[in-house]
Amino acid sequence: MRIYVPRDAAAKAVGADAVAAAIEAEAGRRGLPLTLVRNGSRGMVWLEPLVEIQTEAGRMAFGPVTPEDVPALFDADWKRHPLALGPTEELPWLMMQTRLTFARCGITDPLCLEEYEAHGGFEGLHRAIGMSRAEILQEVIESGLRGRGGAGFPTGIKWKTVSEAQADQKYIVCNADEGDSGTFADRMIMEGDPFTLIEGMTIAGLATGATRGYVYMRSEYPDAVEVMIEAVRIARGHGLLGPSVMGSGRAFDMEIRVGAGAYVCGEETSLLNSLEGKRGVVRAKPPLPALEGFLGKPTVVNNVISLASIPVIFQKGAAYYRDFGLGRSRGTIPLQIAGNVKRGGLFEIAFGMSLGQIVDDIAGGTASGRPVKAVQVGGPLGAYFPRALFDTPFCYEEFAGAEGLVGHAGIVVFDDTADMLKQARFAMEFCAIESCGKCTPCRIGAVRGMETVDRIARGDAAAIPLLTDLCATMKSGSLCALGGFTPYPVMSALTHFPDDFAPMKEAAE
């Protein structure tokens, strides 16, 4: 018997370790030979722990499984059982997706190099090794890949800037400080398919002339840290990292570094300061990190998903990847669906699906059964979208045109019991707590923002234009996106949900 039980942190949080132990114990009692694989998650969080068994007809899924269910599953020979879901690959959630970056996640043993290679792993790196730096850069530019961390900057242009910079040392830094609420794609890929990130970073090194890489991770992701450290060790032991990558004579090696938990260190210059052992505060730009980054040297700073998308681009070609998407938003985006939803999890799809389709069809509406009131896209600094904007295509420019952000593609759903004035206050409070304190609009503005929202809550209508003016100041005057983007949730709540800001009615009268 070959049975799969996820080692993903979300699955473990709802009992996957206990289920795995129960399966091993039950197989032992029955004298049945068992191979237990701790795979990554398939992304269907509402079905976790999702247990799969290998059969002649493919893998069959059961879930959500508890330890108490295990004896009955063995009694049923893992066939007819109330928890049986059928062939995993035929589950609607998976069949509707276009899995490119997450193609292996949930399928392979995350730390088995042989399985990674059997499913197309390192084909992209093999191809890149045979290309010149200019050819690698052109491939990334032609793919249309843009930063998946939030800014949406063209990845190939950033790499080209670093490649053309003159320096004795260059670096590739992976921003794995995934701190946005409702986001978990970085964690899932690092826990479920770590070699794809290693492969992507190595190709980035070949393209830019960088020989050293760092993955900057959150201390709140202990499982991901453990998997990444082991994956780097395995890759180095097989000659995939080191002085001669795959025997090519071209060097690239990397290390894992763990931050101390500051949200602002998700901003690239704060991250670089923290990586250097300094206090995590924002640096003024210029100079750009691409020219003077880590230790003052040219540095590529890319998000996990940006780098993890590189291998499939080189495996299948830039044109293949570019064919997915809409407008200037090319390729696929891993949607992370959370909040008050029936079906939460990771759903990878080409850019272009409407927000309404995502919330109503994919997520299945609210778990509470009440009407959807608002959807926050892009983390705690993202705008709140009302149902009137649900026809907005999930793309960078289209969301910007609706005064919103794609961000890291975290989607948090709220039903009609949500108080949007309280959500606006939370945005200001979050900014006040997480501010590095370097610039006044963020450090002081967020505190004044909390006070102003409190005035509105007490019935002071005169505070509403003050809040609008304060948001304009923070947006235009903050050094980084923490203070600069905090106005998005505040102003979207104020604009789209005026009834929750009761004094607005009094002001109109």
Side-chain angles (χ1 to χ4, degrees):
M1 301 179 72
R2 187 176 181 87
I3 295 179
Y4 298 79
V5 180
R7 63 178 294 165
D8 180 89
K12 291 171 73 172
V14 290
D17 284 347
V19 170
I23 290 172
E24 287 186 308
E26 191 66 24
R29 278 193 292 270
R30 296 172 184 244
L32 298 173
L34 171 70
T35 299
L36 185 68
V37 180
R38 301 304 302 272
N39 57 321
S41 174
R42 294 277 195 162
M44 297 174 284
V45 178
W46 78 97
L47 292 176
E48 295 289 8
L50 180 73
V51 177
E52 298 176 73
I53 183 167
Q54 185 71 52
T55 72
E56 291 182 359
R59 279 158 66 165
M60 299 295 168
F62 300 80
V65 176
T66 67
E68 293 72 26
D69 296 320
V70 171
L73 285 165
F74 274 91
D75 288 341
D77 198 25
W78 293 87
K79 292 176 181 176
R80 295 184 179 275
H81 188 276
L83 296 179
L85 301 169
T88 310
E89 298 299 335
E90 293 180 13
L91 296 178
W93 178 272
L94 291 176
M95 290 184 70
M96 290 187 291
Q97 296 187 50
T98 303
R99 286 215 163 183
L100 300 183
T101 304
F102 282 79
R104 285 174 293 267
C105 200
I107 295 177
T108 60
D109 178 341
L111 292 173
C112 180
L113 203 60
E114 292 75 17
E115 285 192 27
Y116 180 73
E117 291 181 306
H119 287 81
F122 294 117
E123 288 182 11
L125 179 55
H126 272 293
R127 179 174 173 233
I129 285 174
M131 302 167 72
S132 67
R133 280 167 60 173
E135 289 171 333
I136 297 174
L137 292 170
Q138 190 58 34
E139 190 81 3
V140 178
I141 292 171
E142 288 181 1
S143 74
L145 178 66
R146 294 167 68 175
R148 297 293 190 255
F153 189 82
T155 303
I157 300 301
K158 181 181 287 190
W159 288 18
K160 190 171 186 288
T161 303
V162 174
S163 179
E164 293 174 350
Q166 300 299 312
D168 58 348
Q169 179 67 59
K170 299 177 184 179
Y171 297 98
I172 306 297
V173 173
C174 174
N175 183 348
D177 191 55
E178 185 178 48
D180 285 350
S181 51
T183 61
F184 42 88
D186 293 358
R187 177 188 60 74
M188 269 189 62
I189 203 79
M190 289 188 291
E191 291 177 359
D193 193 16
F195 293 119
T196 196
L197 177 57
I198 294 171
E199 183 177 357
M201 289 184 68
T202 304
I203 294 172
L206 298 178
T208 59
T211 58
R212 197 77 185 166
Y214 295 92
V215 181
Y216 183 93
M217 301 181 67
R218 307 180 71 213
S219 59
E220 297 91 337
Y221 280 177
D223 295 311
V225 171
E226 177 186 339
V227 172
M228 284 303 304
I229 289 174
E230 180 62 13
V232 168
R233 186 193 68 79
I234 292 170
R236 188 180 294 122
H238 285 78
L240 300 165
L241 294 171
S244 181
V245 174
M246 287 185 166
S248 65
R250 300 159 80 174
F252 186 79
D253 208 341
M254 57 187 286
E255 299 178 32
I256 309 301
R257 290 287 180 264
V258 181
Y263 178 79
V264 77
C265 286
E267 192 278 332
E268 61 179 2
T269 63
S270 295
L271 183 157
L272 293 174
N273 273 338
S274 177
L275 194 59
E276 292 176 4
K278 301 172 184 174
R279 183 167 173 247
V281 296
V282 177
R283 299 177 185 177
K285 300 176 187 178
L288 297 171
L291 299 175
E292 292 184 31
F294 183 59
L295 300 177
K297 301 296 184 180
T299 304
V300 168
V301 183
N302 277 147
N303 161 264
V304 171
I305 302 303
S306 305
L307 290 162
S309 298
I310 292 296
V312 71
I313 291 173
F314 282 82
Q315 178 191 10
K316 296 181 179 294
Y320 176 88
Y321 190 82
R322 189 180 62 242
D323 280 348
F324 296 96
L326 179 70
R328 292 179 57 211
S329 302
R330 310 313 307 172
T332 59
I333 183 76
L335 306 173
Q336 298 130 87
I337 302 169
N340 191 340
V341 290
K342 288 181 181 176
R343 297 188 290 271
L346 185 133
F347 192 93
E348 185 179 357
I349 194 71
F351 281 101
M353 180 177 282
S354 74
L355 185 57
Q357 288 176 286
I358 295 167
V359 174
D360 296 329
D361 300 338
I362 306 304
T366 63
S368 63
R370 300 183 65 89
V372 175
K373 179 174 183 176
V375 179
Q376 188 176 34
V377 181
L381 308 181
Y384 291 101
F385 277 60
R387 184 163 283 281
L389 294 177
F390 275 19
D391 61 348
T392 306
F394 205 92
C395 301
Y396 293 107
E397 280 69 37
E398 285 74 9
F399 262 64
E403 294 296 319
L405 306 164
V406 166
H408 191 41
I411 298 170
V412 181
V413 177
F414 298 82
D415 72 11
D416 61 354
T417 63
D419 185 330
M420 302 312 294
L421 182 141
K422 290 182 179 178
Q423 292 302 121
R425 190 190 189 281
F426 169 75
M428 287 293 189
E429 181 183 12
F430 181 84
C431 182
I433 292 170
E434 297 293 346
S435 175
C436 76
K438 184 162 185 176
C439 70
T440 303
C442 178
R443 182 183 71 249
I444 304 299
V447 177
R448 296 289 86 85
M450 292 166 57
E451 297 169 353
T452 306
V453 174
D454 287 343
R455 285 175 55 187
I456 297 171
R458 291 193 297 267
D460 185 354
I464 292 173
L466 180 62
L467 180 62
T468 301
D469 184 61
L470 177 62
C471 283
T473 300
M474 292 178 69
K475 191 173 182 179
S476 61
S478 297
L479 268 178
C480 82
L482 177 54
F485 285 0
T486 295
Y488 279 95
V490 177
M491 290 307 301
S492 60
L494 187 62
T495 301
H496 300 305
F497 306 97
D499 289 349
D500 287 10
F501 293 76
M504 292 191 72
K505 294 181 180 179
E506 300 172 18
E509 294 170 0

